[in-house]
Amino acid sequence: MKEIGIDHNSHASLSGKIHSELRKLILNGELKAGERLPSEPDLAHELGVSRNSLREAIGLLQREGLLLKKHGIGTFVTDRYPIIRGGIERLSSIGSFIESQGHSSRSEISRFDQCVCEEKICEFLDLEVGSLVHVLETTKYASEIPVAVCIDYIPKSIVEEIDPNIIYNSVFEGLGRHYNIDIRYAECDLIPISCDEVLSRRLKVDADTSVLLLEQIHYDVLDRKVLYSKSYFPSGKFTFKLIRRR
């Protein structure tokens, strides 16, 4: 196992520091799903900490769902813990959603272009075949871990020219702040798919990993279809909750 740095002079509790460092290694993939941790005595010796402090940290990671202890076998990194969890009832940006979970958020542009709209997307946006759209592709990060890939299509008939550098962090918020496009609601489809090679590289997951595709058609205050988006979320890093009321 990779050596982790424990600052014994810090005022934080020792078990809290162990927990924080192990959690970081798990979430950034340095400790991989299915990997077995060294035995408690060996790991405590390796880290230079007491077994009691280590046991407390491991117990907390178990309660969080990051570690699974198998009696008589050992303690393993689980692959079932999502980095981001929450409901999608409220229409908001992915960045805001990430930050609401206590993570830092950033976006990275992988493509920005103007092109002829695909026939299927023309149907979604009520555009004539051959219409032009702006296409913006971004990767979303939660505490520097890639958790989503987004592709946004904005009709050129709605916004003639777009500066991607002022909307890439949040197309939803950027269109409102800079282009007076007041998005009020969206029609959504949530579709399970398998991750292809391109997505797997950008999301840093194995090919064929289960991915949730969130397709959305956004409407503005004038009831115009102003944005079509496809957002891909690896199920191991991002889970959604729907609240149904009677």
Side-chain angles (χ1 to χ4, degrees), residues 13 155 222:
S13 70
L222 301 176

mmCIF file of all heavy atoms in Angstrom, residues 13 155 222:
data_model
loop_
_atom_site.group_PDB
_atom_site.id
_atom_site.type_symbol
_atom_site.label_atom_id
_atom_site.label_comp_id
_atom_site.label_asym_id
_atom_site.label_seq_id
_atom_site.Cartn_x
_atom_site.Cartn_y
_atom_site.Cartn_z
ATOM 1 N N SER A 13 -7.690 15.050 15.709
ATOM 2 C CA SER A 13 -7.507 13.756 16.354
ATOM 3 C C SER A 13 -6.756 12.821 15.414
ATOM 4 O O SER A 13 -6.863 12.922 14.182
ATOM 5 C CB SER A 13 -8.864 13.153 16.711
ATOM 6 O OG SER A 13 -9.566 12.757 15.544
ATOM 7 N N PRO A 155 -29.189 26.068 -29.484
ATOM 8 C CA PRO A 155 -29.500 26.524 -30.846
ATOM 9 C C PRO A 155 -28.905 27.904 -31.132
ATOM 10 O O PRO A 155 -29.000 28.815 -30.307
ATOM 11 C CB PRO A 155 -31.033 26.581 -30.855
ATOM 12 C CG PRO A 155 -31.471 25.668 -29.755
ATOM 13 C CD PRO A 155 -30.409 25.785 -28.697
ATOM 14 N N LEU A 222 -40.314 31.757 -21.659
ATOM 15 C CA LEU A 222 -41.222 31.914 -22.797
ATOM 16 C C LEU A 222 -41.673 30.568 -23.348
ATOM 17 O O LEU A 222 -42.320 30.501 -24.387
ATOM 18 C CB LEU A 222 -40.543 32.728 -23.906
ATOM 19 C CG LEU A 222 -40.080 34.134 -23.527
ATOM 20 C CD1 LEU A 222 -39.327 34.784 -24.687
ATOM 21 C CD2 LEU A 222 -41.278 34.984 -23.104
#
